[in-house]
Amino acid sequence: MPEVSEFVAVRRHDGGIAELVLDRPKAMNAVSTQMARAIGSACASLAADASVRVVVVSSTAERAFCVGADLKERNSLSDAELVRQRPTTRGAYGGVLELPMPTIAAVHGFALGGGFELALACDVIVADETAVVGLPEVSVGVIPGGGGTQLLPRRVGVARAAELIFTARRVEAAEALALGLVDSVVAAGTDREAALALAGRMAANSPVGLRAAKRALRLGHGMDLAAGLEIEDAAWRTVAFSADRAEGVAAFNEKRRPEWPGM
């Protein structure tokens, strides 16, 4: 049974895969304060669940992954209310970004502004042919505030990110793939299926290894090589003497599938 709150659901799949479902289809998943709170809460629960090996972020909206901030709600907020809302908003984007297990965004239709930032917070972005991505915030007088100014240049470089952010332009799937804004493009309507299949290939591996590898990738990115190698070594030490490592080596030598203890 899915774990459902208004605007967000968590579906459990075999093999330790969890699906974080954006479920405000009538608003094309525009992120209101209430939806941001639900995303943050769901992420906190997933982060604390040792049985979850991989998370897929998907959408029930037919025409969109997520169109970003709920500008109708935003227009009704006073300056003081906007300031009070900010930690809740940051909690949603930070919640996805800080998930300790691998994460995959399944993107179709519009993924704009905060919607694209939710995808950028994931480790891998699978898009279908209908996907249109972009960070158009400067066109409405703000800037990407869900991590976009930091995450996009880490994907595509500072100059490319600057061009995309400063022009506020929307990018269709084929160009998005060519620029590295997404990691694969699949047939229309198959983004979720493809993301879950990829999640299955990841989740077949050691849960301890997956989390340690993600930690090393995230913490080491942007460091000089010597510092990055020290981060990698620290992550290696967390798995080298684990039950998962012992099971993985035994399974390899016995020519069988491992049964991961997850510790």
Side-chain angles (χ1 to χ4, degrees):
M1 290 290 291
E3 302 156 31
V4 180
S5 62
E6 191 171 14
F7 306 143
V8 173
V10 175
R11 297 173 182 162
R12 305 283 175 158
H13 299 270
D14 292 341
I17 299 169
E19 188 179 359
L20 177 62
V21 185
L22 307 178
D23 189 25
R24 196 186 177 204
K26 291 182 179 178
M28 293 200 288
N29 290 328
V31 182
S32 63
T33 303
Q34 188 174 353
M35 185 173 177
R37 189 175 292 113
I39 293 170
S41 177
C43 287
S45 295
L46 289 169
D49 189 342
S51 71
V52 177
R53 299 184 184 183
V54 182
V55 172
V56 171
V57 183
S58 66
S59 161
T60 62
E62 183 178 347
R63 296 177 52 219
F65 174 72
C66 173
V67 294
D70 186 337
L71 295 183
K72 291 182 179 179
E73 179 193 62
R74 187 72 58 85
N75 191 51
S76 71
L77 298 178
S78 67
D79 288 352
E81 288 169 334
L82 186 58
V83 169
R84 287 195 296 271
Q85 183 207 45
R86 180 63 175 162
T88 300
T89 303
R90 289 195 68 183
Y93 299 108
V96 176
L97 182 64
E98 293 166 13
L99 284 169
M101 67 288 290
T103 52
I104 304 167
V107 174
H108 62 266
F110 297 112
L112 301 173
F116 189 38
E117 287 172 309
L118 286 173
L120 289 171
C122 295
D123 299 302
V124 179
I125 303 174
V126 174
D128 83 357
E129 294 168 338
T130 70
V132 178
V133 305
L135 296 175
E137 284 87 347
V138 297
S139 70
V140 293
V142 292
I143 69 165
T149 65
Q150 305 306 304
L151 295 171
L152 187 59
R154 283 167 167 77
R155 266 190 165 265
V156 300
V158 174
R160 179 67 69 195
E163 183 264 321
L164 292 166
I165 291 170
F166 297 163
T167 62
R169 74 183 180 94
R170 301 178 179 192
V171 181
E172 295 185 358
E175 185 185 5
L177 179 62
L179 295 178
L181 300 175
V182 303
D183 300 301
S184 62
V185 173
V186 297
T190 66
D191 53 296
R192 178 176 175 268
E193 176 186 353
L196 287 170
L198 177 59
R201 294 196 293 276
M202 293 180 182
N205 298 306
S206 159
V208 172
L210 288 171
R211 291 183 182 222
K214 176 165 179 172
R215 189 163 61 249
L217 282 164
R218 283 287 177 88
L219 294 178
H221 186 87
M223 295 284 189
D224 63 67
L225 181 58
L229 290 173
E230 289 303 314
I231 289 169
E232 181 183 81
D233 186 65
W236 176 85
R237 290 174 187 276
T238 68
V239 300
F241 311 104
S242 68
D244 269 17
R245 192 276 308 169
E247 167 61 11
V249 172
F252 178 84
N253 286 314
E254 295 166 15
K255 296 181 173 58
R256 61 173 174 82
R257 289 181 180 273
E259 297 180 8
W260 303 114
M263 52 190 245

